Each structure stands twice: as C-alpha cells, then as structure tokens.
Amino acid sequence: MHDRLRALHDRLDAHGQAHVLRFADALDDASAAAFADELEALDLPRLSRLIDSVLGHAPEEHAGDLAPPEMIDWGVDDARDAAARAAGAELLAAGKVGAFLVAGGQGTRLGYDGPKGRYPIGPLTRRSLFAYHAHRVLATSRRYGAALPFYVMTSRANHESTVAAFEEAGWFGLERDQVFFLVQGMLPAVDRDGKLLLADRGALSMSPDGHGGCFRALDVSGALDDMASRGLEQLFYFQVDNPLAQVFDPLFIGHHVQAGAEMSTKVVEKSDPGEKVGVLARRDGRTCLLEYSDLDAELAAARDDDGRLRFRAGNIAIHVLDVGFARTIARQGELPVHRADKKVPCLDEQGTLVQPGEPNAIKMEMFVFDALPLAERSVTQVVPREDEFAPVKNAEGQDSPATSEAALVDQAKRWMEAAGLQPPSGPAEVGPLFALDQASFRDNLTRSDLGPVFDRPA
Ligand code: UTP
C-alpha cells in the first residue's frame, strides 16, 4: 500500500473507518496520492460527532411554547416602510452590503445538465437564472452609485461550469473584482451503520454539505476577510433557484438594520396547512424554523381569529445576515446536520459498483436557517408571493420552470398594466436592467418600449 495511506490506517481505525482502505493496494500512485489527500483532509473527530448525531436522530419534540413570530407585513405602515427603505438605501449607497448567492446544490429534482444557475428561465430571452441575479446586482450598483460585491457559493461539482458561465457572459456587465466565488465544503455519505461509503476504490462518496455550509465556506475561502477589507456590514443571502428574488431589497435591509437584527428572513403567507414549506416560529425567546415535516397537523391547521393560519410565515430562504454574526457562526457555532436517506451508488464488499434501487445511504447536510435561533434579534418580513417567490425545484408540476416562467410573465404584465400599457396576449418579460420594480418600470419607459421584451444592454 502507498506509504501515505498506510500511515492513515490507525487514525481511520480509531474512528471505525479503516475499511475505506480495503482496496487501496490496487491503486496506482496518482490515485493513491489523491485518495490520501482526501482522507487527510477529513476532520475525523468532527465527522464521528456528525455521524453519531444523524444515526441517533429522532423526530424533534416540539414543546408547547411555540408561538408565531412577530411579522412585519408589507403595505401596512407606509411611514415605517419609508423610513426602513431610506435606511436600506443609505447602507447600499455607502457600499456596505454584499449579495450572497448560494448555488452549490446538486439540483437533482430538476435534473438539468449543469449548474442550476445556467437554466434559461427568461420567458422570451431565455436569460439564465445567473443572469437575473447578476443583473440585479448590476442594476442596484448603478442605482446607488456603489459597486456592490457579489459572493457566489459553488460546490466542487459545479464550480468550473459556474465560473465559465460568468466568463462567457462577460461577467454579466459586472466588474471582475465585484464577483467573489467560494467553494463550499463536502460531507461523506455513510451507510446505516455510519460507515463511510466508497464511490471508487480510491474515493469516498461525497456531496455538498448543504446551504448551511455557507458560514464555514465564507470563512475558509477568505470571503469574510474580503468583506472586512471592503467595509461590508450586511450580506443579502438568496438562493439560485428563485428568479424573482429582489436582491438588495432596501426595504428588507432597512427593517433588519433598524431592528439591530443579526439574521432576518423574508416569508410569504402560507395559506394551505398542507403546503410543504417551513414556517418561522418563536421558541424560548428566539426565532426558529419549523420544517413542514416537523410541524404537527394540529398546529399546522391552527387559525387566528381572522381566519388566517397561525403559523403562516412561510420561509422563502431570503435573509439578511449581519457580517459579524456570520463570522461568529463560522468560527464558533457548529450548525446541526440533518439526515437524508438517499440512493447512493457505491462499492460493495467485493469492490463492485452497485446502483441501489432503494435508499441505502445517509447524506448529511446543514441548513442555513439553523442559524436563526443563534441570532438574538431577527426580523420576519412578509412579502407578496407573486412578486418575490417562484422557485425552480422540480422538472414538472409545482415549483417547476413552467410555474416560475408563468410568474415572471405575470409580473411583467402587471407592471405593464400599472404603467398604462396593454399587455400582449402571449408572454412578456422585463429584464432587471430595465427595471427592478414596478415604480422604476413606469419611470424608465420610453416611447419605443412597447414590449413584449423590456430590456437594456449591460
Ligand atoms: P435545494 O435545497 O432546493 O437543493 O437548494 P438543490 O440542490 O438546488 O436541489 P435538489 O434538492 O438536489 O433537487 C436550495 C438552494 O441552496 C443551494 C442550492 O444551490 C439552492 O440555491 N444549496 C443547496 C447549496 O448552495 N449547497 C448545498 O449543499 C445545497
């Protein structure tokens, strides 16, 4: 066996994982060296802790002290909103906010060949998800006269193709040094006994460590240091699959800052108790997220006097994070890992690759919302679903490209109508460089803009 691998044996054995060296004798020098790199990089004590926690996982008991969070509803208090918007705008103009896109997921449900951000979602232009987001960063930078930085988290599997998408598009009009890529960490898959699985004779079966891996990734990549050198105070966190995400929304940033919050969340109203969305709640004086699978049916269906669901704050995974808070979580807090039982191809004891028909493996993932209870203060901002949330998750049906495109078309037509234009019978599309919101759509219209595509070059 290769010397470096032999030297690892005892360490692995101390954690019950020496079986991963079972086929190491057969590896050529290059494969053995690559495998040794991978194994040496494992933090075995941490891994053992994580494996123990997922194997011992029991459904969380929710005590009776759950309450809905205090919510800031949109369009209720105009004066308060105006003050918040001004505070958010001031911070943006001072260049103190960065955008943080997490795009390291595997997109298995969509089944698209390539990073999900490359998906051509624009109803008429086929503009990609990446283009929507990057153009919002660009348009906001222009609006406030500050080159706002754009942090993009990838994973090993999609990093190169993601960077290439930006390169091919001329950085979507952004300055090269406005964009900072960071690669998230990986965690191994294990079998039901907690044993590491092999993807190959010289490779573990690994997958991205979840969007909650973003805190650690911000730190190890140097992104936090980059933020410090730019004097950033807040990070606008969002996910790649939602082309309606209003990146850098000054209203949300303003409410967060005015409350002195460390991590805030946008939510949409959940109206059907059965909708599969996590809801925000308060427990022990902190905001937390209840996954839909953890919310018991009675609580899920409970209603307020006005007939609305009591737990209606449906999470849409858009946050503002105080940069200092993100640093504290990255350096001091370990988020819990969640267990997902999946079908993972792996080597059997004879070294043959098997394609399981049933879930055979446990994948471990961290979730960004697990940082919420660690925040002393948190704002929950309700926003209209039709303007802010149309994720691309599945290939068909709910939350698919079809529903997301329909939402983009619907928004474009509503903006046209509000500006006194007759919407077309077919699709319409508004690019972020033309307008970021309904008011700027109306203001930016010229006589030659009649649709159905409203766009400006980068
Ligand atoms: P999802 O939880 O919807 O996962 O991610 P996904 O990987 O996109 O799709 P499936 O579940 O495999 O079908 C929500 C957001 O979090 C990011 C995704 O890129 C997406 O923006 N994410 C998810 C990461 O950045 N890293 C991860 O490890 C997981």
Side-chain angles (χ1 to χ4, degrees):
M1 199 191 296
H2 194 282
D3 286 348
R4 280 175 64 204
L5 288 175
R6 191 171 309 113
L8 280 160
H9 179 275
D10 290 355
R11 264 171 61 200
L12 288 161
D13 199 32
H15 292 275
Q17 305 290 4
H19 64 281
V20 298
L21 298 174
R22 192 183 281 150
F23 308 111
D25 281 337
L27 297 176
D28 60 32
D29 283 353
S31 311
F35 197 25
D37 286 345
E38 180 171 51
L39 294 174
E40 282 168 3
L42 291 179
D43 177 348
L44 286 167
R46 170 177 181 246
L47 200 55
S48 290
R49 262 196 331 272
L50 300 183
I51 293 171
D52 285 348
S53 81
V54 286
L55 289 183
H57 181 81
E60 212 180 319
E61 292 291 326
H62 289 304
D65 63 350
L66 279 177
E70 200 180 304
M71 289 174 258
I72 300 181
D73 261 303
W74 54 283
V76 169
D77 186 338
D78 287 348
R80 186 182 178 193
D81 281 355
R85 199 173 279 111
E90 194 179 318
L91 214 60
L92 288 162
K96 294 196 168 161
V97 191
F100 182 24
L101 170 65
V102 295
Q106 293 175 303
T108 34
R109 285 168 290 171
L110 181 63
Y112 178 64
D113 188 18
K116 201 188 268 190
R118 277 183 176 267
Y119 191 91
I121 195 69
L124 291 161
T125 62
R126 296 290 143 211
R127 163 192 350 255
S128 67
L129 284 161
F130 282 142
Y132 269 98
H133 303 316
H135 283 163
R136 285 208 178 89
V137 174
L138 180 60
T140 309
S141 295
R142 286 181 180 158
R143 177 184 274 188
Y144 294 101
L148 300 164
F150 189 18
Y151 299 87
V152 181
M153 185 171 86
T154 64
S155 57
R156 269 192 232 163
N158 70 16
H159 181 73
E160 278 171 26
S161 181
T162 299
V163 175
F166 277 71
E167 270 167 0
E168 285 158 22
W171 302 93
F172 298 104
L174 294 164
E175 297 297 327
R176 174 64 192 89
D177 70 356
Q178 255 179 291
V179 188
F180 187 115
F181 291 102
L182 52 144
V183 187
Q184 73 176 106
M186 307 282 277
L187 280 173
V190 294
D191 68 12
R192 299 252 162 76
D193 297 321
K195 300 286 184 197
L196 296 169
L197 295 173
L198 288 170
D200 201 341
R201 289 176 177 240
L204 300 177
S205 172
M206 303 284 277
S207 34
D209 59 2
H211 39 65
C214 69
F215 293 101
R216 192 176 262 256
L218 284 172
D219 195 16
V220 299
S221 65
L224 287 174
D225 294 338
D226 182 78
M227 289 170 200
S229 72
R230 294 178 199 250
L232 289 198
E233 293 177 4
Q234 306 294 336
L235 265 189
F236 192 99
Y237 168 104
F238 63 109
Q239 305 194 332
V240 75
D241 49 29
N242 179 17
L244 286 183
Q246 284 190 30
V247 185
F248 288 128
D249 175 9
L251 176 70
F252 181 39
I253 295 168
H255 278 309
H256 166 87
V257 171
Q258 289 189 319
E262 292 167 311
M263 176 169 179
S264 295
T265 310
K266 278 195 180 189
V267 297
V268 296
E269 181 163 345
K270 177 181 169 183
S271 48
D272 172 359
E275 187 186 345
K276 290 184 174 174
V277 62
V279 291
L280 271 75
R282 291 285 287 175
R283 182 165 44 201
D284 302 333
R286 298 285 173 124
T287 301
C288 63
L289 185 122
L290 305 175
E291 289 188 76
Y292 64 87
S293 49
D294 288 344
L295 185 64
D296 75 46
E298 204 177 311
L299 278 189
R303 293 193 183 265
D304 283 338
D305 291 344
D306 62 4
R308 294 156 91 191
L309 289 177
R310 191 162 136 74
F311 290 94
R312 60 177 175 276
N315 177 34
I316 60 168
I318 295 177
H319 303 284
V320 181
L321 290 160
D322 178 85
V323 172
F325 175 73
R327 185 180 300 111
T328 304
I329 301 296
R331 298 194 178 158
Q332 289 165 28
E334 171 103 281
L335 297 185
V337 283
H338 295 252
R339 165 183 180 148
D341 290 72
K342 301 268 177 172
K343 292 184 257 184
V344 175
C346 60
L347 299 192
D348 65 12
E349 289 185 8
Q350 284 68 48
T352 311
L353 186 67
V354 287
Q355 300 282 349
E358 295 299 322
N360 61 322
I362 297 169
K363 281 191 179 183
M364 297 182 279
E365 273 194 301
M366 291 177 280
F367 295 154
V368 71
F369 51 71
D370 280 324
L372 273 172
L374 304 174
E376 263 180 53
R377 278 178 300 278
S378 173
V379 165
T380 304
Q381 159 107 53
V382 190
V383 296
R385 185 187 295 250
E386 67 274 19
D387 271 325
E388 309 226 9
F389 188 52
V392 178
K393 299 277 187 199
N394 306 306
E396 284 171 0
Q398 224 181 13
D399 295 341
S400 64
T403 56
S404 187
E405 265 184 62
L408 288 165
V409 169
D410 178 62
Q411 186 186 58
K413 290 187 176 184
R414 277 186 283 115
W415 289 3
M416 287 182 77
E417 266 175 3
L421 293 180
Q422 173 73 39
S425 54
E429 179 176 338
V430 181
L433 294 172
F434 186 91
L436 287 169
D437 48 40
Q438 184 173 306
S440 59
F441 178 80
R442 190 190 47 233
D443 295 346
N444 294 345
L445 275 179
T446 65
R447 271 194 224 178
S448 55
D449 295 315
L450 296 170
V453 174
F454 299 84
D455 218 350
R456 294 279 187 266

